[in-house]
Amino acid sequence: MKNSKKKQFAVIGLGRFGGSICKELHALGHEVLAIDKEEEKVQEFAPYCTHAVQADSTDEGVLRNSGINNFDHVVVAIGDNIQASILTTLVLKDLGIEKVWAKAQNAYHQKVLDKIGADLVVHPEFDMGIRIAHNMSSERIVDF
Ligand code: ATP
């Protein structure tokens, strides 16, 4: 389904979470800048985004050169490397990115991301667990 209101997004980290966001935004017709430090991931997602860039997002200079400053909505989808996730979020807020949404790996990570100014912090497994419980409780089917 193409979207008549085309927007610009950037997704940093192309694991299962970031990768699915990237693909879906692209399928919805938006402009998507996809960034990962692994060249293999960049190659894999090149067909599912507008620009795919191999970069370490903790490096402010590298991130700036990727053109990310032109994006006002960025998702940080780095989970395992909590330090990289925190540094990337800090750099993005320093660069003046308006909306930075970040994935947290655990409650501590979530708290730190909140404190350093992430505009939305998601904890997918935890959030989905709550949602499923509510859906089970109200006997509704899981929806979007
Ligand atoms: P998943 O979404 O698959 O559950 P995850 O939460 O386990 O992933 P990671 O596997 O740690 O997260 O990272 C997701 C992606 O982010 C990986 O493809 C990894 O290469 C990329 N990544 C990690 N650190 C950086 C970094 N500093 N700069 C750019 N990309 C990074």
Side-chain angles (χ1 to χ4, degrees), residues 62-79:
V62 168
L63 211 50
R64 201 184 281 273
N65 286 339
S66 73
I68 206 150
N69 309 48
N70 302 318
F71 292 76
D72 57 14
H73 197 166
V74 181
V75 175
V76 182
I78 302 171

Side-chain angles (χ1 to χ4, degrees), residues 27-144:
L28 288 168
H30 297 295
E31 182 179 337
V32 184
L33 168 66
I35 297 176
D36 200 287
K37 67 176 167 60
E38 302 294 338
E39 182 60 34
E40 207 177 290
K41 286 282 175 188
V42 173
Q43 296 295 338
E44 182 187 340
F45 281 88
Y48 308 106
C49 64
T50 320
H51 307 287
V53 174
Q54 189 267 322
D56 180 343
S57 59
T58 61
D59 184 325
E60 184 168 344
V62 168
L63 211 50
R64 201 184 281 273
N65 286 339
S66 73
I68 206 150
N69 309 48
N70 302 318
F71 292 76
D72 57 14
H73 197 166
V74 181
V75 175
V76 182
I78 302 171
D80 279 356
N81 189 338
I82 293 180
Q83 184 174 328
S85 151
I86 291 168
L87 268 173
T88 301
T89 303
L90 268 176
V91 168
L92 292 169
K93 288 315 286 182
D94 278 354
L95 287 173
I97 309 291
E98 199 178 313
K99 278 188 217 160
V100 179
W101 290 7
K103 172 191 172 171
Q105 187 79 348
N106 55 48
Y108 165 74
H109 187 189
Q110 187 159 12
K111 204 168 176 176
V112 175
L113 289 169
D114 273 330
K115 288 258 182 207
I116 63 169
D119 300 284
L120 178 78
V121 181
V122 292
H123 188 173
E125 294 87 350
F126 185 79
D127 297 345
M128 188 50 98
I130 289 174
R131 199 161 160 181
I132 296 278
H134 279 268
N135 282 323
M136 288 168 79
S137 168
S138 64
E139 292 183 350
R140 282 194 284 121
I141 55 163
V142 178
D143 56 10
F144 278 82

